[in-house]
């Protein structure tokens, strides 16, 4: 059965801390791995990773994929209260549909 | 920034009633999806739609569900006879030729409450 597992399930940090969120997967016909941020409703796109070892970076956020070990990490440095959200990891499954298989998410709370 | 628009944002319906959830995907996108998220659970794939037909559907997407893209802009999800367990947030998503860079865009969702 295809699955995506995220850890930790939740995390509380203080502003300025650095956090690492984990995502491991076992998905047939892997095409890519995506990270989304979900604050109130719509998941908003952060990164799409297809190649191992190439870091994607956007401001204080970065992510990397290891296709051999089947995992990805999302790093957030110098966290701010606005980073508080659920972070979703999803694997895009190749084929006719390119559907996404989601993990349960990591709830990040950044305290002032 | 182009958006995926969903209406209504919240719908309450009685068990056994039909509901139609509406979505306007990004205009030049090719791939259209419905996902749902039961409160406290993960986002689950329901159905994908490409080239004017269903390309894949999950086990959840039984005969009570249907999708249409009637006019080239709207994309609807119909539940014929709602059950209590259909209560969830329903997300529409779309992807275009640039999805390798921009991923898939999700709408803000419709919260369906079946009573």
């Amino acid at each position: 059965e295809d699955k995506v597992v995220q850890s930790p399930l939740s995390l509380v940090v203080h502003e300025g801390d650095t956090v690492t969120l984990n995502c491991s997967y076992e998905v047939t016909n892997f095409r890519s791995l995506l990270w989304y941020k979900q604050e109130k409703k719509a998941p908003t796109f952060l990164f799409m990773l297809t190649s191992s070892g190439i870091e994607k970076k956007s401001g204080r956020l970065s992510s990397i994929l290891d296709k051999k070990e089947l995992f990805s990490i999302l790093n957030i440095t110098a966290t701010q209260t606005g980073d508080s959200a659920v972070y979703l990891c999803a694997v895009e499954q190749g084929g006719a549909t390119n559907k996404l298989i989601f993990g349960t998410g990591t709830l990040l709370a950044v305290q002032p | 920034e182009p958006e995926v628009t969903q209406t209504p944002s919240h719908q309450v319906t009685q068990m056994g009633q039909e509901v139609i959830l509406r979505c306007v995907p990004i205009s030049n996108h090719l791939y259209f999806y419905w996902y749902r998220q039961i409160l406290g659970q993960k986002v689950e794939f329901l159905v994908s739609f490409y080239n004017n037909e269903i390309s894949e559907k999950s086990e959840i997407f039984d005969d009570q569900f249907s999708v249409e893209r009637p006019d080239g802009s709207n994309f609807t999800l119909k539940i014929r006879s709602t059950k209590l367990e259909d209560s969830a947030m329903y997300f529409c998503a779309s992807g275009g030729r640039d999805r390798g860079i921009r991923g898939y865009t999700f709408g803000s969702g419709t919260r369906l409450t079946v009573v």
Side-chain angles (χ1 to χ4, degrees):
Chain A
E1 183 188 342
D2 296 320
K3 60 181 179 180
V4 177
V5 178
Q6 292 186 245
S7 64
L9 290 180
S10 64
L11 192 55
V12 180
V13 300
H14 289 96
E15 271 192 313
D17 288 350
T18 293
V19 298
T20 298
L21 309 183
N22 303 294
C23 176
S24 64
Y25 62 91
E26 292 177 32
V27 175
T28 54
N29 203 5
F30 172 93
R31 187 185 179 101
S32 70
L33 186 143
L34 297 89
W35 285 96
Y36 283 86
K37 179 182 182 182
Q38 186 177 27
E39 291 180 85
K40 290 186 179 176
K41 288 187 176 178
T44 53
F45 174 73
L46 294 175
F47 299 112
M48 177 182 252
L49 303 147
T50 54
S51 301
S52 267
I54 297 176
E55 186 182 51
K56 293 242 177 148
K57 205 167 165 60
S58 176
R60 296 176 294 102
L61 276 67
S62 64
S63 184
I64 198 161
L65 174 67
D66 186 329
K67 288 170 76 173
K68 184 179 174 188
E69 299 298 329
L70 308 182
F71 79 89
S72 173
I73 59 172
L74 175 68
N75 279 320
I76 310 174
T77 58
T79 50
Q80 302 170 356
T81 54
D83 296 326
S84 297
V86 175
Y87 289 84
L88 299 172
C89 173
V91 171
E92 182 188 23
Q93 191 170 44
T97 66
N98 303 316
K99 72 182 184 197
L100 299 180
I101 299 169
F102 281 86
T104 50
T106 292
L107 174 61
L108 174 65
V110 182
Q111 294 182 340
Chain B
E1 189 79 31
E3 290 184 343
V4 173
T5 305
Q6 288 188 243
T7 54
S9 58
H10 191 186
Q11 179 146 3
V12 181
T13 189
Q14 293 218 323
M15 196 167 52
Q17 294 296 304
E18 175 183 287
V19 295
I20 298 176
L21 310 183
R22 303 181 190 280
C23 169
V24 180
I26 293 172
S27 60
N28 61 351
H29 279 188
L30 305 171
Y31 300 87
F32 310 104
Y33 305 85
W34 284 100
Y35 291 85
R36 79 170 186 189
Q37 187 175 30
I38 295 171
L39 192 62
Q41 297 185 25
K42 63 176 68 175
V43 177
E44 303 173 286
F45 167 77
L46 289 179
V47 66
S48 58
F49 196 84
Y50 172 71
N51 205 22
N52 288 320
E53 61 183 17
I54 290 175
S55 47
E56 185 176 347
K57 53 188 180 181
S58 71
E59 291 177 357
I60 304 166
F61 195 89
D62 61 22
D63 291 345
Q64 294 301 311
F65 291 86
S66 62
V67 289
E68 276 191 337
R69 194 154 187 262
D71 55 11
S73 64
N74 292 287
F75 181 48
T76 61
L77 174 69
K78 183 193 289 186
I79 310 175
R80 286 189 187 81
S81 178
T82 49
K83 303 188 280 277
L84 293 176
E85 53 265 38
D86 294 327
S87 295
M89 180 74 91
Y90 288 80
F91 291 108
C92 174
S94 67
R97 295 188 194 280
D98 62 351
R99 66 194 183 282
I101 300 169
R102 303 176 70 85
Y104 296 87
T105 304
F106 282 76
S108 295
T110 294
R111 178 161 297 285
L112 176 66
T113 303
V114 182
V115 297

